[in-house]
Amino acid sequence: MVAVIQPLPQTPVSPRPAEGRSSALAQLKLLHAEAEETARLANLLGRSLYVGLALPVLGVLTIGLADEVSPVSQLVWCGFVAAVSIALLIAYRHAMRQPFERAALKNFARDLSAILLFAGFAWGAGAFLALPPGTNAVAAILFAAAPAIAVSTLLQQREALFLFLAPAAALAAAGSLLKPFANGTLEAGLILAVSAVIAGAAVLREHWASNSGKPAMLSFP
């Protein structure tokens, strides 16, 4: 008769204290990063409403200073700017239904990125539709710089500024050459130079603020 030896039951090995502390610390860091990102996105949501109000105001001021342009083309441009504001307000209202939900805030940031890109093209189109031929250098520079400064100041995110500024400055410079404005080549160069200064200032501002976290814009995942 052969005796069958049963294996001894294995005792579960509890994690070492050091491993437990390391896991807890990693989890704490993750929660902190998520809370920080949620706070940045919530701030971005709150500031976006002011951009939706500022662009139409600047558009009205532009129309008021340009009385030598066809009202039809000016109305078309106003429609573009109004569409940007409406899209911003709709995205804002939708996100405010869940103002502290991280997923909803990330979706809003993606929507805002697309809206700002469209806003840059819409605003830049004003160089062809809203400004008269022979526009002087000061007016041309203000047309390109004022909304860019507003977006940068209100949203305080360089990614937001870049999405708006790149198409707006490019179209404004093209309008200076093709419209043409009073000193087309000079004005196109000045528009691009001033836009570069605005972009550089936004980069330096974030550097000085030592913002080492992920950017809030989450442009296109």
Side-chain angles (χ1 to χ4, degrees), residues 1 22 37 57 73 86 89 117 167 185 219:
M1 181 176 182
S22 177
E37 183 185 41
V57 172
S73 64
I86 292 172
L89 294 176
L117 186 63
T185 303
S219 304

Side-chain angles (χ1 to χ4, degrees), residues 1-117:
M1 181 176 182
V2 179
V4 179
I5 302 175
Q6 298 290 338
L8 295 175
Q10 294 183 354
T11 304
V13 179
S14 59
R16 298 177 182 178
E19 293 178 354
R21 287 195 297 270
S22 177
S23 177
L25 183 59
Q27 185 68 19
L28 183 61
K29 288 182 178 179
L30 178 62
L31 292 175
H32 176 74
E34 290 181 354
E36 188 180 45
E37 183 185 41
T38 300
R40 288 198 305 271
L41 291 170
N43 287 333
L44 185 67
L45 171 63
R47 296 188 188 109
S48 66
L49 179 62
Y50 300 107
V51 175
L53 299 175
L55 289 179
V57 172
L58 293 173
V60 170
L61 292 175
T62 301
I63 295 298
L65 297 175
D67 55 358
E68 302 175 6
V69 182
S70 168
V72 175
S73 64
Q74 289 184 334
L75 286 175
V76 170
W77 181 64
C78 286
F80 291 157
V81 177
V84 171
S85 294
I86 292 172
L88 268 173
L89 294 176
I90 291 175
Y92 174 84
R93 182 180 178 183
H94 181 73
M96 283 300 291
R97 294 174 183 173
Q98 298 174 306
F100 299 107
E101 290 290 336
R102 187 162 169 262
L105 290 171
K106 291 175 100 173
N107 289 334
F108 170 78
R110 287 192 291 268
D111 292 340
L112 181 60
S113 297
I115 292 170
L116 287 172
L117 186 63

Side-chain angles (χ1 to χ4, degrees), residues 149-169:
I149 293 173
V151 169
S152 179
T153 303
L154 293 174
L155 295 182
Q156 298 181 12
Q157 289 288 335
R158 65 181 182 184
E159 289 78 12
L161 172 63
F162 294 165
L163 287 167
F164 176 86
L165 182 59

Side-chain angles (χ1 to χ4, degrees), residues 58 62 65 123 131 135-150 164 172 181 187 190-191 194-195 198:
L58 293 173
T62 301
L65 297 175
W123 187 269
L131 297 182
T135 299
N136 61 55
V138 174
I141 292 171
L142 286 176
F143 171 79
I149 293 173
F164 176 86
F181 292 169
E187 292 178 21
L190 289 174
I191 288 172
V194 171
S195 299
I198 295 172

